[in-house]
Amino acid sequence: MGCIISSRKKKPVSPEHRPRFQVSPPATIIANDDDDQAQKVSEKVSDKLGLKELKREESVLVVNPPPRSSELADSGWPPWLISVAGEALVGWIPRRESHFEKQEQIGRGTFSKVFKARDLPRNKTVALKRIRFDVTDSESIKCIAREITILRKLDHPNIIKLEGLMLVEHDSRSSTWSSSTWC
Ligand SMILES: Nc1ncnc2c1ncn2[C@@H]1O[C@H](COP(=O)(O)OP(=O)(O)OP(=O)(O)O)[C@@H](O)[C@H]1O
């Protein structure tokens, strides 16, 4: 999955370059008198944080909100992709074929071909990875969703950075084209 580039020498990784996961801004739910469950969870959180003195009205329950599928659909993402990889699409709009000037093939994976390309709007060289699949094949879709979701979260100098995604329909098959930092 993806292209993981490892350095030859083991260098110490500075704190700002340690792998980190980016999550959507958390929603805050204020526990109220009727919500025993939320109260218990918030007490656990405050105990863990050592905030024994935290007043009840200040206690919070932190959850990650689900991606807003209607907003993703408005951006042009198809329902099948929103349902399996919605969180990875937040903040993105689909890229278009006209955005890229495809150059030579530079690699291939088990299910993919990778091309060097020019990202015209962003005026930079990128790697474009094409994965062909059948939209009715749930296993392929799960696999694609997993790769996109994981790569979107990772932010590390030794791991390619996923920068965008494009979907291209053929007669009976589709392709995802993911653009990533050229390395
Ligand atoms: N961002 C990139 N920059 C430069 N070369 C890349 C980039 N991404 C992929 N490649 C090249 O394309 C090859 C295939 O990459 P790809 O991610 O498709 O497959 P893989 O993860 O190596 O294999 P598999 O999918 O079978 O696990 C890589 O081995 C690498 O040579």
Side-chain angles (χ1 to χ4, degrees):
M1 179 207 77
C3 160
I4 299 185
I5 314 288
S6 43
S7 336
R8 282 169 198 211
K9 273 194 209 159
K10 240 188 170 179
K11 287 190 224 150
V13 179
S14 62
E16 70 272 17
H17 286 146
R18 289 209 180 106
R20 57 183 182 272
F21 294 91
Q22 296 163 342
V23 294
S24 325
T28 301
I29 297 172
I30 307 294
N32 62 46
D33 288 338
D34 304 326
D35 195 339
D36 287 336
Q37 189 67 20
Q39 172 63 16
K40 276 180 199 151
V41 176
S42 65
E43 278 169 6
K44 257 192 187 166
V45 171
S46 52
D47 281 348
K48 255 195 175 163
L49 295 171
L51 304 174
K52 299 264 185 210
E53 298 308 312
L54 195 69
K55 286 186 193 149
R56 187 160 195 219
E57 56 273 23
E58 291 168 341
S59 62
V60 291
L61 172 63
V62 178
V63 295
N64 290 321
R68 292 146 297 186
S69 50
S70 60
E71 285 174 26
L72 295 175
D74 290 347
S75 301
W77 296 109
W80 64 265
L81 188 58
I82 296 171
S83 66
V84 289
E87 79 177 277
L89 305 174
V90 174
W92 276 1
I93 53 170
R95 302 299 308 273
R96 299 200 197 129
E97 280 179 283
S98 60
H99 291 175
F100 299 98
E101 196 175 77
K102 198 169 78 167
Q103 298 167 7
E104 71 273 17
Q105 184 178 333
I106 43 117
R108 69 181 307 150
T110 316
F111 304 105
S112 60
K113 277 188 180 172
V114 180
F115 300 86
K116 187 174 181 182
R118 195 79 198 149
D119 184 334
L120 300 170
R122 296 180 183 170
N123 194 26
K124 62 190 284 199
T125 298
V126 293
L128 262 187
K129 174 170 171 172
R130 184 193 73 190
I131 302 178
R132 282 202 168 138
F133 65 99
D134 183 339
V135 189
T136 58
D137 177 1
S138 60
E139 282 311 306
S140 310
I141 288 179
K142 265 194 239 162
C143 208
I144 289 167
R146 197 165 48 231
E147 174 156 333
I148 297 169
T149 307
I150 293 172
L151 283 180
R152 179 89 202 260
K153 285 178 180 168
L154 293 175
D155 184 10
H156 188 274
N158 291 351
I159 300 176
I160 61 154
K161 183 86 193 124
L162 186 61
E163 297 180 332
L165 191 66
M166 158 169 96
L167 298 167
V168 178
E169 305 284 334
H170 307 283
D171 300 334
S172 59
R173 290 167 72 78
S174 300
S175 311
T176 57
W177 289 82
S178 49
S179 76
S180 57
T181 43
W182 174 257
C183 43

